[in-house]
Amino acid sequence: MKTLFKHLARYWYFALLASGFMVAEVFVDLLQPRLMQRIVDEGILGADVSLVVSVGIKMILVVVCGGLCGLLSGVFTNVTGENLGNDLRKSCFNKIMHFSFAQTDRFSTGSLVTRITSDVSQVQQLSKQMIRGFVRCIMFFVGGTSALLSLNLSFGVILACAFPLILLDVIFVVWKTNPLFKLLQNALDRLNSIMQENVGGIRVVKAFVQEKTEIERFSKANEDLVNTQFRVQMLLSFLRPVMNIVLNLAVVGIIMIGSKGVQKGDMAPGAVMAAITYISQILNGMMMLAMIFQTLSRGTVSAKRLSEVLDSKSEIADGDFSDRVSLQKRGSVVFKNVGFSYNESGSPVLHDINLEIKPGETFAIIGSTGSGKTTLLNLVTRFYDCTEGSVEVDGIDVRRYEVKSLREKVSVCLQKSELFSSTIRENVGIGKPGATEKEIMDACIAAQAHDFIMQQKDGYDTAVSEGGMSLSGGQRQRIAISRALVKKSDILIFDDSTSALDLRTEANLYAALDKNYSDVTKIIVAQRIASVRNADRIAVLDGGTICACGSHDELMKTSPVYRDIYESQLKSPEGGEK
């Protein structure tokens, strides 16, 4: 919560101005009944037309002044709220961008989307209500009560009877609705998660004819959201009618007491009219305060959810080594007794990994599905930190590097090629901001992407749809490979990133890498023997540990696991063997 207050404190001067102008507006509202009292008692009943005109003009000027103050109060309130929302969204997004994969998984994508949109909006609304509405309510209650009692102390009896009834109504509604607001935001989380999953995986849904199932799943989540919202609205619906009843009863009480006072000559008719206005202002202020409490309850829940994001510290912390000095071995990777599990209670995914990859070496990793190949690569870039042992890049433990410095040394190309809604040129250029036209083209030529790009109508300026869905799987992979190559890092990691390429294109790619990137350390994860057989060395991963390591010929002689993979692919054209 402290983080939220720090964001709000940046705009304290706008908040102070908004509150100041609101005080002036309420003061004008409290002054008007007094002016009306003079018009009635001294002007109309006293048959003084000149007083009616002069006080009426004064009243118009006061109203104009009050309206101007209200306008300025609204402007500064909105400036405060919108700037707060802007800062919160940017801060949350910045924090999310520095989350580890594990942190993102724990929050879930749908929940993070809800927090950065709906929860920020709720906090914005709360800040506006507190700056503008709360000041207005307190002023009306304190100022209106003082003004009402100054007319006649008997009116205090009406207020003393009405206030507890309104207070009980507010307490009941806030007490009942407060627990529902967290349920409401959680329901919105689930709805956003389902929406995100189905939009992102629409091709899978259609391919397996699961439209009906997913519509039903979405409908159920939506019904949960609607039902929770309905329960909240039902409770809130009790608030205004009860207050209206109390307000009308209070007005009746004022009229009764006032009429008796007029009959006795203790009170003027104008004072009764002013008292009715004051009691209405007081109770309307209380009604507004009730709505603020409702906003406060919901806003507090949202503020806590935002604080969970803003107060989270990235599990991947910067080290003190920036690699600004020249290192003797650039591109070496060493695993020393490495073990890893995704959670403390879970079984280890990797254990007893000892491995040295030399600078400039082409090193391949092969193994069955679920053997831990991708997890092993994720430790090099610190997408996750190993739970046992250490991973060293250029002789330095990766945990000692500044995260940015480490990841600048490594280019990663994943099996799932994530492209952005921009041009092919811009997608490739993400690898190296400011890359020249020649650098981008050279990378695409090496990645075997240049020819198909030039066949497009707009060439490198061809627009790419969201997720790269306007391109084939092989085209997306080649653009992703180009993006990794243009970066010109010391270490190049291919995580099964050629799976959509035919064997000829893949062979041409590796030939280009050997020719143009011979000094770069290349770590290749693949499922196909044909993709790894020409590597300098191949590590066979089985059961979360390395069971063999050597060249293709050596492994064929010494590793039963490698031979099993080779023989299983011998019958499959994808294996590349005849």
Side-chain angles (χ1 to χ4, degrees), residues 56 73 91 96 163 172 230 271 277 355 398 426 434 444 510-511 563 575:
S73 176
S91 295
I96 291 167
F163 182 73
F172 172 77
F230 183 72
T277 304
L355 186 64
V398 293
E426 290 169 342
C444 290
Y510 287 133
R563 282 200 305 271

Side-chain angles (χ1 to χ4, degrees), residues 489-556:
S489 300
D490 299 328
I491 301 168
L492 182 61
I493 294 177
F494 283 179
D495 184 7
D496 206 12
S497 54
T498 60
S499 58
L501 303 185
D502 62 83
L503 294 176
R504 182 185 297 277
T505 303
E506 185 180 39
N508 291 337
L509 166 66
Y510 287 133
L513 292 180
D514 290 338
K515 179 180 178 181
N516 302 316
Y517 298 86
S518 57
D519 59 337
V520 175
T521 303
K522 294 171 280 293
I523 305 175
I524 301 168
V525 163
Q527 301 287 346
R528 301 185 299 201
I529 292 289
S531 300
V532 302
R533 65 176 300 168
N534 294 322
D536 297 324
R537 285 189 297 154
I538 305 168
V540 182
L541 206 58
D542 185 47
T545 193
I546 294 172
C547 63
C549 185
S551 66
H552 171 76
D553 293 336
E554 291 171 346
L555 292 175
M556 287 296 293

Side-chain angles (χ1 to χ4, degrees), residues 394-457:
D394 294 341
I396 306 295
D397 191 320
V398 293
R399 288 168 292 198
R400 284 191 54 203
Y401 278 94
E402 291 180 357
V403 174
K404 180 181 178 182
S405 179
L406 171 66
R407 291 177 183 168
E408 283 177 346
K409 296 173 68 65
V410 183
S411 289
V412 181
C413 190
L414 306 174
Q415 179 181 11
K416 184 180 179 182
S417 306
E418 298 286 355
L419 301 184
F420 298 91
S421 304
S422 57
T423 64
I424 291 177
R425 185 194 315 279
E426 290 169 342
N427 269 283
V428 175
I430 290 172
K432 183 181 179 181
T436 65
E437 185 76 17
K438 185 178 185 304
E439 288 175 322
I440 290 175
M441 189 173 295
D442 287 346
C444 290
I445 290 172
Q448 311 303 303
H450 177 73
D451 290 343
F452 92 78
I453 292 173
M454 295 309 296
Q455 290 172 6
Q456 305 293 318
K457 180 181 178 181

Side-chain angles (χ1 to χ4, degrees), residues 125-126 129-130 133 137 170 173-174 181 233 236-237 239-240 243 284-298:
Q125 184 65 23
L126 174 61
Q129 287 275 30
M130 296 301 291
C137 295
V170 171
V173 172
V174 171
F181 291 127
Q233 294 302 324
L236 293 177
S237 66
L239 195 61
R240 188 171 290 276
M243 288 196 164
N284 277 320
M286 293 301 298
M287 190 181 301
M288 188 182 297
L289 189 61
M291 300 307 296
I292 291 174
F293 278 122
Q294 176 257 322
T295 305
L296 179 64
S297 299
R298 188 166 187 176

